[in-house]
Amino acid sequence: MQRTMDEAFSQAIDHKSLAPIQAWLLVWAQNIEIARRVDLRRRYQQAQDVLAMYDKHEHDDEDAVNKALAELSAVLDVAQQAVRG
């Protein structure tokens, strides 16, 4: 997170715009929302585990990968809705 925050601030300076900082803050807030909610954290971690196993060639179930990607997207959507109110 520190690296992406530094990049956002650098881009904000380069472009003379707060938009990169605002985008980073949204991502940061989503991560906090996922971390603080057990249900989201569990769903996110389970999906990440499926993807990590696929990357390590521990399975080749593309349907499971697609479901995991959809689940990650759904978790991020829920977190974003919670953050934006």
Side-chain angles (χ1 to χ4, degrees), residues 5-76:
M5 181 188 76
D6 292 343
E7 289 172 1
F9 276 82
S10 178
Q11 290 175 0
I13 292 167
D14 291 345
H15 300 289
K16 296 182 173 114
S17 170
L18 291 177
I21 296 170
Q22 292 168 327
W24 177 81
L25 284 171
L26 179 59
V27 170
W28 175 77
Q30 285 174 313
N31 286 331
I32 296 299
E33 185 67 18
I34 291 167
R36 75 175 198 81
R37 288 185 46 186
V38 175
D39 61 324
L40 293 181
R41 187 173 60 237
R42 183 178 300 123
R43 289 171 58 193
Y44 189 85
Q45 189 58 55
Q46 287 172 344
Q48 288 282 23
D49 290 346
V50 170
L51 296 175
M53 290 173 57
Y54 182 79
D55 285 343
K56 294 177 188 175
H57 305 289
E58 293 176 7
H59 74 79
D60 61 356
D61 186 351
E62 291 186 17
D63 187 48
V65 169
N66 290 332
K67 288 179 182 175
L69 290 171
E71 182 67 356
L72 287 177
S73 181
V75 168
L76 289 172

